[in-house]
Amino acid sequence: MGVVRESKSYGVFCSCYFDTYSILLFAVDEAFEREQATQELNESNEQNTVSEEGGEEQEEEAGPLTLEERENKDYLKSLFEILILMGKQNIPLDGHNVDELPEGIFTSDNFQALLEYRINAGDEVLRKRFEMTAVNLEYCSKTQQKQMLEICESCVREETLREVRDSHFFSIVTDEVVDIAGEEHLPVLVRFVDDSHNLREEFIGFLPYEADPEILAVKFHATITEKWGLNMEYCRGQAYIVSSGFASKMKVVATRLLEKYPQAVYTLCSSCALNVWLAKSVPVVGVSIALGTIEEVCCLFNQSPELLVELDNTISVLFQNNEEKGNELKEICRSQWTGRHDTFEVLVDLMQALVLCLDAVSSDSSVRWNNFITGRAFVLSSALTDFDFIVTIVILKNVLSFTRAFGKNLQGQTSDVFFAASSLTAVLHSLNEVMENIEVYHEFWFEEATNLATKLDVQIKLPGKFRRAQQGNLDSEVTSENYYKEILSVPTVEHIIQELKDIFSEQHLKALKCLSLVPSVMGQLKFNTSEEHHADMYKNDLPNPDTLSAELHCWRIKWKHRGKDIELPATIYEALHLPDIKFFPNVYALLKVLCILPVMKVENEKYEVGRKRLKAYLKNTLTEQRSSNLALLNINFDIKHDLDLMVDTYIKLYPDKVEFQDDLKQL
């Protein structure tokens, strides 16, 4: 009855502001929704009845299991339980490396050891099975382990994919290429809104990386659609976080998917700062090398608290006349500062402190630092004091200063993202102006680089590789300034302009304009919004597109004439969780599609655990011990798993293995 009263009072409220036609459309919409809900309930009941009857028939057909069949299933279930435990606890399949053991010494691998432990703990099924197994046969071969792990991985992944299919719409995100047991793989995550209206980002597996981008695009599509069973017609976004050197290849993947599925909008990912993403995509070798050096420096200092203290002391000496700036830099150094919007500004400010600190560590004659740290400090100090590195980071700092505020807003509140979309034109205008006057801009940038080099006592010169290539060419009069203009400044500015145009396509910008649906954005626009025009691209995704105009009018009036004590929802997350959102089915559908765009941040951190667990797994697992199967089990350790389904799947896929095990019992 409460719902009925709310609906009636809402209709009376709307009648004060709507024309008769709008009210009629809204009433028809509600009636349609009630009818649809009733129909779905009936269909659900019918399906349950059919499935129950079907289940009874199947049982009659299958008949009761024989003793041997039941024992075999229990045996396989025990093996699956061990594998799942190893995945959840991140225990590698192999134990000690053979090279680590003295000659003549044998030890079981981890799977074998856990299996024996379980037998000793009283698992009668396993004990009985292996008492009848020939002594010279393995308990469970490597091939069988691999087959069972693939089934575990598939079943666990399917639990997530089932939720994705129920939600219909989703987006695909890949993270940086990683090394899995000596082979490069792409981690793949999926974004969707679950049945509790929560935006989630879940890890669903690794895809073997291919050097040929066209082959990669084909395999990427085949894996998602054929192997994982997702319908790409429902994909509404795609984003790729890549290391330097991989950006152009993943762009080919994005282009091929867009050709097949125009609504799979190519976007930035909310977990990666725009400036970092742009820098990684620059197709200049010097930029890739510089970015790698920056990551290594950050990694070295994060590995050693003592090194951070040493850096703090160096900063204190250099900034004793500006303690506020010094304290700010110290705080930044204790974070993952290589992922910030102002990474290159921070690095330029820190350059002198980093070099002095690394020099002091590498030349320390005491036993304070171990050989690894002193060796890395020497190598990294040499890399930082290379003029090629200095001029690269200074130019990146200056070029990316034009996109810094824009990128920061993209990772801000919903209203910031909405208004950022409108500021792209100004950003592109500024960069085009830089390109038209590149001679003047580069002159200032190069002067800043030479001043920094002088402060660090670094010689200003052309790269050694270029000088060696020019030996014998007497006519060559290339100056350092002109060289870096042509090889670095010009291609960097040109690339960033084009990349911004590609990543913020017309479709992407239209989607971001639809964020005016969020009530707080409506309020900032004085409720003078026109989502109908921008929402046209999602017309086929709406349950009742014919009533969209009337529904949006009703949505605006609801918030414009709200009570004084009612705050405007500031995010899509808040809007999706409104108790009366069900009365706005089209608005709800639009908000769902908008929030799965990779550029939108996951508001509730507990639903973004997939990426964090992936990072933790990669950090805590040695490269040679990584397994794509075990990784999925470890990262999704809290997903329910059906052991009976795994056993039945194995028996169905490998009946010859089951028969072989039965034969062993007769030996």
Side-chain angles (χ1 to χ4, degrees), residues 255-317:
T255 303
R256 297 295 171 263
L257 287 180
L258 272 173
E259 290 170 356
K260 287 177 177 287
Y261 312 102
Q263 287 193 293
V265 181
Y266 178 41
T267 79
L268 184 72
C269 184
S270 62
S271 61
C272 182
L274 174 64
N275 276 1
V276 174
W277 190 87
L278 288 172
K280 287 182 176 181
S281 70
V282 174
V284 176
V285 175
V287 172
S288 299
I289 294 172
L291 292 174
T293 301
I294 295 168
E295 287 292 346
E296 289 184 42
V297 169
C298 183
C299 182
L300 179 65
F301 280 96
N302 285 337
Q303 284 179 348
S304 171
E306 292 81 7
L307 264 182
L308 279 175
V309 172
E310 188 75 13
L311 182 58
D312 282 353
N313 295 335
T314 307
I315 292 173
S316 296
V317 173

Side-chain angles (χ1 to χ4, degrees), residues 133-138:
T133 301
V135 176
N136 62 340
L137 291 176
E138 289 182 283

